[in-house]
Amino acid sequence: MSAPGSPFGSWLETDPEVARLIGEEFGRQTTTLQLIASENFTSPAVLAATGSVLTNKYSEGYPGARYYGGNRVIDEVEDLARERATSLFGAEHANVQPHSGASANLAAYQALLEPGDTVLAMRLDQGGHLTHGSPASITSKIWRFVAYGVTPPSDDPDVPGEVIDFDQVRDLAKSEQPKLIVAGSTAYTRTIDPEPFRQIADEVGARLMFDAAHPAGLIAGGAHPSPVGIADVVTFTTHKTLRGPRAGAILTSAELAKKIDSAIFPGLQGGPLEHVIAAKAVAFAEAARPEFRRYAASVVANAKAFAAALAAEGLRLVSGGTDNHMVLVDLRSFDPDLTGKAAQEVLDRSGITCNRNTIPGDPRSPFVTSGLRLGTAAETTAGMGEAEMARIAELIGRTLRGRDDPEALGAVRAEVAELCAAFPPYPGLVGST
Ligand code: DSN
C-alpha cells in the first residue's frame, strides 16, 4: 500500500494505518473544493523538503552560532532561506524560524514591548486574529490590547462601507498612546495600505507591526502593496497565499534584527524545524518566479469574479466586494435564519469546503456566526479561473437553497467531483487520479 499525498508515500507501507489516513486526506483534498482562505496546495518540491531527513537535526541557535555540532549543512539551508526571504520581499533581515504565524506575532510583541504595554489592533469580531489580543490568547494576558474596527455598512456607492476606520485608528492611538499598532487581519477583503498606519504610528510615537499572514503571497507576487520598509516588523505565514509549508516568518530592519532573533530563540522556541525551513526556502524561490506574479494576479481576479457571482446568487458581500484572495459573505441577506455554522455544514455535504466566520456587527457567537469566508488561493493553484469561480458560486447557491433536499445536494456533490477531477492539484503525485 502506498500513501498518496506524499512523495515518499510508499515508505509508509510499515504503517498502514497512517498510510490509509494520509490517503484518505489526499482523496478529500482532491475530490472536494478547497475554499478555506488560509489554505493552499504546496508544490511537490515543498512537500519533499518537508518530508526530508532535515527533520532529524537539532540546530538551536542561528547559522554560525549553534548550540549543537554537525550543523554545516543546516547552516547553509537556513542561510539560503533567509537570503531568499530578504530578496523576495526586499527586507534587511529575515527570521525564518517561527513555527507558525502565532509564534511570529508573539516574538514580535516580545521584541518590541514590555509586559503591560498597550497595543492597538483590529477587533477580533471584525477580522483580528486570536494573537491580536483575544481574551482566550496569552497575548491579552501579557499586554493591554485596544481594538479598532471598520466603518458601518454604506448604501451610498461613493462611500465605501465596512472598511478600516482610520479616523478611529487615529483617535484611539491619540487617546490610548499604544506602544505598538498592529495592521493586518484574517477576514478583511480589502487591500490594507500600510502608509496610513505608519503615519498614525509616527504621530503617536508607536512602532508598527504588519501581520501579513494572509496577503504575503499577494505582496510577494506584486498584487498588493508591500509593508516592508514601512512597518517596523512584518510577520507572515508561509502556507496561505504564499503557498509554502505550514509555518511563519518575520521580516525586519537591520536595527531590530537582533531583538527579533532573540525573541524567537531563546525567547519563545527551542530547536528550529529545519525541514520546514528548507521547504520555506523552496517556496520563497517559487514565489520569486514570473509565474508566481501571474498566480497572484489570478487569485485576485478569481476572487473578484467569485464575489460578483456570489452576489448574483443573492448573497451580500461584506464591504461590497474584494481586493484580495477572499470574500466574506453575510448570509442574513440570503436567509435571516441561515447561520454560518449551518451553511458550512451543508456545503461540506456538497463537497465545498469553507469556514463560517463572524461578520462586522455579527449578532451571533463566533461558534455560530452569520457569515462565510471563502478564498480562491488553493483552487487557483489547481488551475481554476474565473469561469470555474462563477460555476462554484452557482453550486454554493444551489446548495444553500436546496439544503433540505438530499437529491439536490447529491447532484451538486457529483458536479463538484467532476470539477475537481478536471483540475487535479497534484497531477504527477503518487496516488493522484
Ligand atoms: N489565521 C487563521 C485563518 O485565517 O484561518 C488561522 O489562525
Side-chain angles (χ1 to χ4, degrees):
M1 183 196 302
S2 70
S6 161
F8 307 115
S10 59
W11 294 5
L12 266 176
E13 278 169 14
T14 54
D15 193 332
E17 280 173 290
V18 171
R20 176 182 60 77
L21 290 171
I22 293 175
E24 279 185 24
E25 176 58 12
F26 182 82
R28 189 199 66 78
Q29 288 186 20
T30 53
T31 59
T32 59
L33 289 165
Q34 307 311 315
L35 301 179
I36 289 180
S38 46
E39 294 182 355
N40 213 324
F41 297 114
T42 69
S43 70
V46 166
L47 288 184
T50 312
S52 71
V53 294
L54 300 184
T55 193
N56 297 334
K57 192 69 197 96
Y58 242 117
S59 52
E60 282 184 350
Y62 288 99
R66 305 285 189 184
Y67 289 79
Y68 292 78
N71 273 302
R72 182 185 63 76
V73 179
I74 292 296
D75 277 4
E76 282 193 47
V77 168
E78 192 168 334
D79 269 335
L80 189 62
R82 295 199 296 195
E83 283 160 23
R84 287 182 178 180
T86 51
S87 152
L88 178 65
F89 290 100
E92 289 178 1
H93 180 72
N95 186 305
V96 293
Q97 291 194 2
H99 300 333
S100 65
S103 300
N105 286 354
L106 271 168
Y109 298 154
Q110 189 169 318
L112 300 173
L113 302 167
E114 296 299 327
D117 279 348
T118 298
V119 183
L120 182 57
M122 195 164 192
R123 275 177 62 155
L124 301 172
D125 59 348
Q126 300 191 358
H129 187 247
L130 285 171
T131 57
H132 297 176
S134 159
S137 155
I138 185 80
T139 55
S140 66
K141 294 172 178 67
I142 304 177
W143 300 285
R144 174 180 169 264
F145 280 81
V146 177
Y148 61 83
V150 296
T151 57
S154 166
D155 293 330
D156 181 345
D158 295 331
V159 180
E162 296 166 300
V163 294
I164 292 171
D165 185 344
F166 281 106
D167 291 339
Q168 192 186 45
V169 178
R170 178 173 279 102
D171 289 348
L172 284 168
K174 285 187 174 157
S175 62
E176 302 290 340
Q177 293 291 306
K179 202 156 167 205
L180 178 69
I181 298 178
V182 178
S185 166
T186 64
Y188 185 69
T189 59
R190 297 302 183 175
T191 302
I192 300 183
D193 183 353
E195 293 284 2
F197 278 107
R198 176 77 266 171
Q199 210 179 325
I200 294 168
D202 287 345
E203 284 171 30
V204 298
R207 291 277 196 183
L208 176 63
M209 173 182 135
F210 195 105
D211 181 342
H214 272 267
L218 304 181
I219 292 164
H224 267 220
S226 175
V228 175
I230 298 170
D232 297 285
V233 175
V234 177
T235 60
F236 61 102
T237 55
T238 47
H239 53 274
K240 296 185 175 88
T241 52
L242 194 58
R243 214 164 60 179
R246 179 162 300 282
I250 306 176
L251 303 169
T252 192
S253 58
E255 176 223 337
L256 288 172
K258 200 168 173 336
K259 273 191 168 181
I260 289 289
D261 285 355
S262 305
I264 281 287
F265 175 84
L268 193 64
Q269 296 184 171
L273 310 178
E274 293 293 345
H275 55 306
V276 181
I277 289 173
K280 290 178 205 180
V282 172
F284 296 146
E286 289 174 354
R289 294 186 191 135
E291 53 266 36
F292 195 85
R293 290 186 88 77
R294 289 194 287 278
Y295 165 71
S298 298
V299 166
V300 175
N302 280 350
K304 286 181 187 293
F306 196 26
L310 287 165
E313 294 293 325
L315 292 156
R316 189 186 85 82
L317 305 171
V318 172
S319 90
T322 181
D323 300 326
N324 58 21
H325 59 299
M326 67 170 101
V327 291
L328 191 57
V329 162
D330 177 354
L331 293 162
R332 294 172 304 176
S333 57
F334 187 82
D335 178 343
D337 295 328
L338 180 60
T339 66
K341 184 171 183 293
Q344 177 196 305
E345 285 167 3
V346 72
L347 286 164
D348 246 343
R349 286 172 61 197
S350 290
I352 298 171
T353 311
C354 62
N355 68 280
R356 60 182 178 272
N357 216 98
T358 52
I359 52 173
D362 203 323
R364 297 185 170 110
S365 78
F367 192 71
V368 178
T369 82
S370 302
L372 281 181
R373 188 185 67 162
L374 304 132
T376 56
E379 294 304 344
T380 304
T381 296
M384 292 193 192
E386 295 176 40
E388 286 73 34
M389 295 301 142
R391 181 153 176 226
I392 296 169
E394 190 238 329
L395 293 171
I396 289 173
R398 276 167 56 194
T399 299
L400 298 181
R401 276 190 295 275
R403 60 189 181 278
D404 297 321
D405 176 354
E407 221 170 281
L409 296 182
V412 174
R413 181 70 193 91
E415 285 186 48
V416 165
E418 204 179 278
L419 190 54
C420 292
F423 293 90
Y426 292 110
L429 201 61
V430 180
S432 184
T433 50

